[in-house]
Amino acid sequence: MPRFTPPAADAMRATLLAAARDEFVANGLAGARVERLAAAAGSNKAQVFHYFGGKDGLFDALLVHELTSALDAAPLDTADLAGWAGRLHDVAVERPWVQRLAAWHRLERPDVALGALVERHVDAVAEVERAQRAGVLPRRFRPAVLLGLVVHLAGFWTALPAEAAGPVAAVTAPRRRQVVVDAVGALLGD
């Protein structure tokens, strides 16, 4: 059976996104250079503008792609929110660039809400609210707050600044994951 070959446009978009990831993670939006990432992709600056409308559009597309992919790798499970936090922690450890891109977005584009990510968040909050109404999750926190707390706990270890990392450096990877699961369990009153 012949292999599927994506259309050239899809392949070029994917190649540009891959090159952009390294460039944006290392330099942020302001420090990234379109010429550098286009060269790394074996392309040119015009292609970035053609496919993404410019550097900001490429950054936004990359962030949506990476966060969506990360969340798809650990689908929300309101029946086991602590277990979901552990799986989300695993994704954060496997893909450290995702948090770095999100941090750059918060720093450099704080007023830009990306529609696809907003929609995904709204859906997740609604799912948490349904679980709260069904008695599966406690109602001590509003749904959006509970979801935010769980997400931040899941990313706790990968977001530690260097100044705080030293004192906990001896905590092993499996124990770090367990701390996340236990912290969310405590948050839920388990």
Side-chain angles (χ1 to χ4, degrees):
M1 172 178 274
R3 287 179 24 143
F4 171 75
T5 304
D10 291 348
M12 180 48 63
R13 282 179 59 84
T15 301
L16 286 168
L17 283 171
R21 185 182 85 189
D22 295 339
E23 181 71 16
F24 287 128
V25 165
N27 302 297
L29 180 59
R33 297 292 170 254
V34 173
E35 298 83 5
R36 225 176 7 232
L37 70 89
S43 184
N44 58 53
K45 192 173 173 178
Q47 293 286 46
V48 172
F49 285 87
H50 173 72
Y51 289 111
F52 301 100
K55 184 166 72 165
D56 288 356
L58 177 56
F59 181 80
D60 293 349
L62 177 66
L63 185 63
V64 168
H65 171 76
E66 291 294 339
L67 282 174
T68 299
S69 175
L71 292 170
D72 287 348
L76 177 60
D77 181 1
T78 56
D80 181 16
L81 209 52
W84 175 67
R87 291 184 294 281
L88 199 55
H89 161 81
D90 295 343
V91 171
V93 169
E94 292 164 4
R95 304 171 191 199
W97 60 86
V98 175
Q99 271 200 5
R100 184 88 180 242
L101 289 169
W104 282 120
H105 183 263
R106 284 190 306 276
L107 290 169
E108 297 184 295
R109 291 175 67 77
D111 299 326
V112 176
L114 302 173
L117 297 177
V118 170
E119 186 177 317
R120 181 113 185 203
H121 183 73
V122 166
D123 291 346
V125 169
E127 198 171 328
V128 169
E129 183 175 14
R130 281 190 294 278
Q132 286 179 320
R133 287 185 179 175
V136 174
L137 293 174
R139 299 181 84 160
R140 181 176 350 151
F141 299 103
R142 296 179 69 138
V145 172
L146 179 58
L147 181 65
L149 288 168
V150 173
V151 168
H152 282 282
L153 284 169
F156 170 74
W157 293 104
T158 55
L160 278 178
E163 300 79 14
V168 294
V171 179
T172 65
R175 180 68 188 130
R176 288 175 181 227
R177 184 186 200 281
Q178 192 58 52
V179 166
V180 168
V181 172
D182 292 347
V184 173
L187 180 68
L188 299 174
D190 292 347

